[in-house]
Amino acid sequence: MLMKIVISFLTFLFFAFISFGQTGTLRGHIYDAESGEPIPFASVQLLNSDAGVISDIDGFFQLSEVPSGLQKIQVSYLGYLDTLVVMEIISNKIKYQIIYLNRSTIELQTVDISASKERARTEIQIGQIQLSRENIKSLPSVGGESDIAQYLTALPGVVLSGDQGGQIFIRGGSPVQNRVLLDGQLIYNPFHSIGLFSVFETEIIRSVDVLSAGFNAEHGGRISAVMDIKTREGNKNRISGLASISPFQGKILVEGPIKPLKKENGTAISFLVTGKYGWLDKTSPHLYRYAVDSNFYSFAKNDTALSSFKELGLPYQYQDLYGKISFMGENGSKVNLFGFSFTDQFKLPNIASQKWETFGGGMYFLLSPLQSPVRIEGNIGYSRYNLSLTEKNIGPRTSSLESYTARLDFMQVTKRTALEYGLELISLNTGFQFENPFNLTISQNDFTTEMAAFVRFKYQINKFIFQPGFRLHYYASQGQFSPEPRLGLKYLWSDNFRLKMGAGLYSQNLISLANNQDVVQLFSGFLVGPETTLYRGDSNIPVKSRLQKANHIVAGFEWEPFKLFSVSVEGYQKTFNQLISLNRNKRKATDPDFLVEEGRAMGLDFAFAYKPSSFDIGLSYSLASVYETSNMVRFPTIFDRRHSLNFLFSYLSGKSKQWKWGAHWYVGSGFPFTQTQGFFEDNKLTDLLQTDIVRGNYPLGTLLADEINGGRLSYYHRLDLSIQYMHKLNKIIYIESTFAVTNVYNRQNVFYLERISNQRVNQLPVIPSINFTVGF
């Protein structure tokens, strides 16, 4: 009997060994048959087996330990016809397969739900929201133009400075603490002065990952959040594009093949070029005269320098250009060459004038060797940011930032694990100069290098997903290494309920020239951290590190209580152990140039979504508290919005779903500000011999209250509506018309109060608009 058991056990081991030795790996890409675009989050199932995976954002998938011999896989993605593929798997070999899916007539909302649920079961997604261009276009479009800047305000934990100003604050982090990437390249000012539009063209976006807290080791150099935007390749089969026009802007997009797609091996060369130009400064005097009169120029009508006041418009102008050439190779390898140029100008005659520009380019590559389990991804690039601001009675301010980047990632995926590791190099050249209110000029020109190595490992066993990471970041100008452990966890309690958490240490060396005590932040320049000794507060105690540092902890759950309805709740805390800011109130040369501060952000975010066939309904609420401590004084930051509420609604109607109705209502509690205590004659006493102290009349200065940010502006709330109709002339050409109304009930949301005149300047009033788009 014992002998039979031993023989049976040895036989089992033998066949198990033979079976393991007779397996191979299947990897491939899934593309749209018409455009050649990758299809993300499609289901790839090995028939007669429980083995299956979903494709990633690039349409890539990999099945490990597939038995050798003829195998059948079924690929499905709602919105496309199911496809069955038969192939031969060779033991200890990697089989690469390209699969093309044809579209069906199933609705897009269901596609989004299927993709989101599959990702939730296999990825931790703590503090992370991934958006597609379809998500962005589902919202009411301000000015008839959908934009990521408008969608971000609908996300829990994200605060926008308003219709004007163009600043985004993510879960307590200021703009300089957020890392923004476009195809791997750093973008330092992603939003235009009119806060309704970003520099990114919606039509070319493939994905947007918003990592609001607890992000893992692949990202670093910032202490709050990451926004990673990836663009798509151009159409690989035919010339296509679109042109649109609205009172806000005009844009054009052209794309197509240089070398058409070969379906048998996936090779192709394609191009994509897009540009948009904002002309609200030219259209508003004719279409929105009331908006001009009630906002910027009402307090300046008596100024002799504004004799042509009636011809002035809303003071916004911008231009964005982006181009890409893509080389698609065999086995999913590819190379992208891209370039961009973004400009923005805000101009109030005789009051303030600001202009900034960003330009650069780079190369992205992905190598997927057929017989290697490792895929290699990388990019190199260059970008430059220039900013200048001139204000009445204040000296000019300038800032420039030049960066060179290089990155190399290695990725290896097996049945239950995923390993990613890599290297990153960033060289920064910064310069700035400005004159503070006490007539002292502060300037700095510096060059520094940052280097980092990271590793991230994901392991899934039963209902647990475990993802530790580690990043070692070196700051050359500081001569300091920053070890940064990261961790992500998820527990699949049931098919419809999941717990998750994340934590990590973070650092950065980049400092903003914006003042977090200014209600209106026009000047958003940058500089690298100081190399001199820093002291905490007014003490003579030097700090041990000159880096800005933070730690995050975030936890929550995902729940689908019934079909088509989902709930997400996350609580977070970001402790900013050390913040460094410019000493804007430096009175004499011996005063320090920089201040060392601390801060903390805490919050609780709720998100509810209901997505039946033709509807998309969302509701979110955020409770937050953000404050800083400087010189032992604790105060709320100017973006401390305690309460935020979003309601989203979209509806598709018509026989072929050609009508789209949208609504977005946003409510936010008022921002803090430092109240005015009194006024004085601001005599600079620059020439005592010529100064008549007794009878002279001098400009008024402002005395501020002792309590920093002790006041609160009124609540901000706004309702936006849009109606869109699409008419298809044939299979290729379509015409799209959009009627949109921003601030439907004309809420007078305060932008700021001009302290001397006590004149209130509001955000944008009700603004209707019509957009026409022709696509082919």
Side-chain angles (χ1 to χ4, degrees), residues 58-126:
D58 292 314
F60 174 79
F61 69 91
Q62 178 170 309
L63 276 168
S64 302
E65 300 178 22
V66 180
S68 59
L70 288 178
Q71 297 292 340
K72 296 179 181 179
I73 65 167
Q74 179 170 293
V75 181
S76 57
Y77 187 61
L78 293 175
Y80 289 83
L81 299 174
D82 289 357
T83 300
L84 185 66
V85 181
V86 180
M87 66 196 67
E88 183 177 6
I89 302 297
I90 301 175
S91 62
N92 300 317
K93 299 289 185 181
I94 298 175
K95 170 69 176 179
Y96 179 78
Q97 183 73 39
I98 299 175
I99 301 171
Y100 296 95
L101 299 186
N102 293 293
R103 290 182 180 271
S104 68
T105 58
I106 299 178
E107 300 305 323
L108 181 62
Q109 286 88 343
T110 313
V111 175
D112 288 341
I113 288 177
S114 175
S116 299
K117 196 166 185 178
E118 286 299 321
R119 291 189 67 218
R121 292 168 178 163
T122 57
E123 299 179 18
I124 293 179
Q125 293 182 302
I126 185 69

Side-chain angles (χ1 to χ4, degrees), residues 57 750 760:
I57 193 65
V750 61
R760 170 173 168 160

Side-chain angles (χ1 to χ4, degrees), residues 1-9:
M1 183 67 180
L2 181 60
M3 183 62 67
K4 288 183 178 180
I5 295 176
V6 172
I7 292 174
S8 298
F9 179 70

Side-chain angles (χ1 to χ4, degrees), residues 629-667:
T629 301
S630 179
N631 290 330
M632 305 299 291
V633 177
R634 173 175 161 170
F635 55 90
T637 65
I638 55 101
F639 49 89
D640 175 37
R641 175 157 280 169
R642 294 296 170 88
H643 306 280
S644 298
L645 178 69
N646 275 284
F647 174 75
L648 308 173
F649 172 83
S650 67
Y651 173 60
L652 296 175
S653 65
K655 185 177 180 181
S656 57
K657 308 297 184 185
Q658 70 271 31
W659 289 93
K660 183 169 74 172
W661 310 73
H664 178 203
W665 187 49
Y666 176 73
V667 180

Side-chain angles (χ1 to χ4, degrees), residues 28-254:
H29 281 84
I30 304 171
Y31 296 118
D32 182 290
E34 180 181 352
S35 66
E37 275 199 64
I39 298 177
F41 316 127
S43 172
V44 182
Q45 186 69 39
L46 182 66
L47 294 187
N48 303 318
S49 166
D50 60 354
V53 294
I54 60 172
S55 60
D56 66 11
I57 193 65
D58 292 314
F60 174 79
F61 69 91
Q62 178 170 309
L63 276 168
S64 302
E65 300 178 22
V66 180
S68 59
L70 288 178
Q71 297 292 340
K72 296 179 181 179
I73 65 167
Q74 179 170 293
V75 181
S76 57
Y77 187 61
L78 293 175
Y80 289 83
L81 299 174
D82 289 357
T83 300
L84 185 66
V85 181
V86 180
M87 66 196 67
E88 183 177 6
I89 302 297
I90 301 175
S91 62
N92 300 317
K93 299 289 185 181
I94 298 175
K95 170 69 176 179
Y96 179 78
Q97 183 73 39
I98 299 175
I99 301 171
Y100 296 95
L101 299 186
N102 293 293
R103 290 182 180 271
S104 68
T105 58
I106 299 178
E107 300 305 323
L108 181 62
Q109 286 88 343
T110 313
V111 175
D112 288 341
I113 288 177
S114 175
S116 299
K117 196 166 185 178
E118 286 299 321
R119 291 189 67 218
R121 292 168 178 163
T122 57
E123 299 179 18
I124 293 179
Q125 293 182 302
I126 185 69
Q128 177 180 359
I129 297 177
Q130 186 170 79
L131 308 172
S132 65
R133 67 176 175 274
E134 286 78 16
N135 297 137
I136 298 170
K137 294 171 73 173
S138 67
L139 273 187
S141 49
V142 176
E145 296 283 358
S146 300
D147 194 277
I148 182 63
Q150 301 162 28
Y151 198 97
L152 286 174
T153 61
L155 300 180
V158 177
V159 173
L160 178 68
S161 58
D163 315 333
Q164 306 165 75
Q167 299 289 331
I168 291 287
F169 306 90
I170 302 178
R171 283 186 169 175
S174 62
V176 71
Q177 296 164 0
N178 303 325
R179 190 184 208 209
V180 181
L181 301 169
L182 175 62
D183 291 329
Q185 296 307 303
L186 291 165
I187 303 297
Y188 295 95
N189 198 344
F191 303 104
H192 289 296
S193 297
I194 182 169
L196 306 173
F197 299 104
S198 71
V199 301
F200 312 114
E201 171 50 46
T202 303
E203 296 294 339
I204 68 171
I205 287 177
R206 172 169 292 162
S207 67
V208 179
D209 281 302
V210 181
L211 311 176
S212 57
F215 49 91
N216 216 290
E218 69 273 23
H219 293 293
R222 296 294 185 276
I223 58 175
S224 181
V226 176
M227 188 166 68
D228 189 1
I229 296 101
K230 292 182 173 66
T231 63
R232 61 181 178 85
E233 290 85 26
N235 195 313
K236 303 177 185 69
N237 290 322
R238 64 176 179 86
I239 297 292
S240 60
L242 61 83
S244 73
I245 186 172
S246 76
F248 284 75
Q249 66 182 28
K251 71 177 181 182
I252 188 169
L253 165 66
V254 180

